[in-house]
Amino acid sequence: MVEMHEMVPGKRFDRYHELGQYAFGEKLGLYIVVPQQLIVEVGVCIVYMVTGGKSLEKFHDTVCSTCKQIKLTYFIMIFASVHFVLSHLPNFNSISGVSLAAAVMSLSYSTIAWGASVAKGVQPEVQYGYKAKTAAGTVFNFFSGLGDIAFAYAGHNVVLEIQATIPSTPEKPSKGPMWKGVIVAYIVVALCYFPVALIGYWMFGNSIEDNILISLEKPAWLIAMANIFVVIHVIGSYQIYAMPVFDMIETVLVKKLNFRPSTTLRFFVRNFYVAFTMFIAITFPFFGGLLGFFGGFAFAPTTYFLPCIIWLAIYKPKKFGLSWWTNWICIVFGVCLMVLSPIGGLRQIILQAKEYEFYS
């Protein structure tokens, strides 16, 4: 996608759907890309609402264990209240500070998570076998796990929008600094994920919570701090995924429905969107199940096989050559991921919903 951003001389594809329209035609490109991109961005915002709310709840319970219990619903509302303000920032450049803070927070809370796990040591009755007791349960959990991985490595949906903010000239195209950014980003991602995954599983086995910081209790001040870092991280990330949605909704209202571009329009659109994602998060606050479901259903197409299909459609590499094989392997893997992961995620949501009292 970084390479395709400026592949037509003198033109930049600043939006995912513009690239889709170039590859598949004006109308078909829109119909293929926009619905999938919207599902991804709205899905991520819902998951971040749940994550922010749960981390605030854990912070409250850790800092004040003797205090009266407060419902998760209210913590999600508190988290959403920040976005009713931040959502009115004009563009990506204006949230760069929030974004940098989010990256620093990711590294910090991940380091705390594996550091505190090491300090806690291997648990007395730790088990490393499958969590499910039945073969069917194991298979469904595996599908859901694939969705979690798809969710974890899927920043592709906003890559063109981010690259569009980088200055570009024929001598110094934007893909130079963008490639450096992508490589650094994935190094940071690896530093965050691998120690947490390996050490967390070593210490807690299959009894580990979806969110490792919920499994950790002590030292209280450190776990509380880590949960606040998570909150700051998801505040920044929510905005990055919400910006393209605001852009799409406002463009449709102005260009198609002839609304006058104004501060009032922006105020209503953005507040409505934050309220909508908050309502869905309060209704279905199932972190693990949502990850698996959205990871497969929404992230797999736009991340793992749509860019490959666009590449094949535009560049037309030599049949059975390295590029051709690599892209087709990704397409087959991506389609399998899209079909299987939501089944596992949806089953997890249904199982959790059985014991859950809505809005309780």
Side-chain angles (χ1 to χ4, degrees):
M1 289 186 79
V2 172
E3 288 292 328
M4 289 191 284
H5 178 68
E6 290 176 290
M7 62 191 198
V8 178
K11 184 170 173 58
R12 296 180 75 174
F13 297 112
D14 292 345
R15 305 279 181 274
Y16 203 143
H17 66 80
E18 289 173 14
L19 188 60
Q21 284 173 301
Y22 182 77
F24 308 121
E26 283 293 311
K27 275 204 166 163
L28 186 62
L30 268 184
Y31 292 142
I32 290 173
V33 175
V34 171
Q36 294 186 63
Q37 204 181 2
L38 268 176
I39 292 166
V40 165
E41 281 152 1
V42 175
V44 172
C45 290
I46 292 165
V47 171
Y48 285 158
M49 278 279 178
V50 175
T51 312
K54 284 197 169 179
S55 296
L56 279 173
E57 183 182 44
K58 177 71 178 179
F59 172 78
H60 171 266
D61 295 348
T62 305
V63 169
C64 187
S65 53
T66 53
C67 292
K68 184 176 179 285
Q69 291 285 307
I70 300 172
K71 284 196 286 191
L72 176 62
T73 298
Y74 297 131
F75 286 109
I76 294 174
M77 286 177 172
I78 293 164
F79 180 75
S81 64
V82 178
H83 296 293
F84 283 115
V85 178
L86 284 183
S87 292
H88 298 285
L89 292 171
N91 54 38
F92 267 122
N93 286 334
S94 57
I95 59 167
S96 58
V98 180
S99 186
L100 177 65
V104 172
M105 293 301 131
S106 297
L107 266 174
S108 306
Y109 69 70
S110 303
T111 307
I112 290 171
W114 66 258
S117 297
V118 169
K120 195 162 187 175
V122 179
Q123 296 307 289
E125 291 174 17
V126 69
Q127 289 184 325
Y128 297 115
Y130 292 126
K131 204 170 187 174
K133 299 285 181 278
T134 62
T138 301
V139 171
F140 283 123
N141 284 352
F142 170 71
F143 290 164
S144 188
L146 285 177
D148 290 357
I149 295 167
F151 196 103
Y153 289 94
H156 305 52
N157 291 280
V158 288
V159 74
L160 295 177
E161 282 87 346
I162 293 168
Q163 196 169 344
T165 64
I166 299 173
S168 184
T169 61
E171 298 78 42
K172 281 192 170 178
S174 62
K175 71 178 181 184
M178 191 66 189
W179 264 118
K180 287 176 189 163
V182 169
I183 290 163
V184 169
Y186 275 108
I187 289 170
V188 172
V189 165
L191 289 174
C192 290
Y193 286 148
F194 283 98
V196 172
L198 300 171
I199 294 169
Y201 191 64
W202 180 22
M203 299 303 163
F204 294 99
N206 61 17
S207 64
I208 190 86
E209 289 284 345
D210 289 334
N211 178 347
I212 190 171
L213 293 173
I214 289 168
S215 289
L216 294 162
E217 301 291 336
K218 291 186 173 83
W221 65 271
L222 193 65
I223 304 308
M225 189 166 74
N227 277 286
I228 284 299
F229 287 170
V230 173
V231 172
I232 296 167
H233 170 207
V234 290
I235 285 172
S237 300
Y238 181 100
Q239 287 302 315
I240 284 171
Y241 279 92
M243 281 280 173
V245 183
F246 298 150
D247 185 41
M248 276 187 216
I249 299 170
E250 286 162 17
T251 303
V252 168
L253 288 175
V254 171
K255 288 190 174 174
K256 293 273 191 291
L257 303 173
N258 300 321
F259 277 81
R260 196 168 59 83
S262 63
T263 315
T264 313
L265 179 72
R266 171 179 280 187
F267 178 82
F268 280 108
V269 164
R270 297 184 177 204
N271 284 353
F272 172 78
Y273 178 75
V274 173
F276 169 74
T277 52
M278 178 187 78
F279 172 72
I280 301 295
I282 288 167
T283 310
F284 302 105
F286 310 125
F287 178 71
L290 285 172
L291 276 190
F293 180 75
F294 281 121
F297 179 63
F299 276 85
T302 50
T303 303
Y304 295 105
F305 66 85
L306 200 55
C308 299
I309 293 170
I310 293 172
W311 181 275
L312 291 173
I314 294 170
Y315 279 102
K316 297 182 174 62
K318 192 162 81 66
K319 256 191 181 178
F320 307 113
L322 182 64
S323 175
W324 189 89
W325 273 115
T326 309
N327 281 286
W328 272 109
I329 289 166
C330 286
I331 290 167
V332 171
F333 173 71
V335 171
C336 292
L337 204 58
M338 183 185 78
V339 173
L340 300 175
S341 310
I343 299 169
L346 197 59
R347 177 180 174 272
Q348 219 172 320
I349 292 170
I350 291 164
L351 289 176
Q352 287 173 310
K354 275 182 184 173
E355 300 156 22
Y356 179 72
E357 291 175 32
F358 288 94
Y359 311 113
S360 60

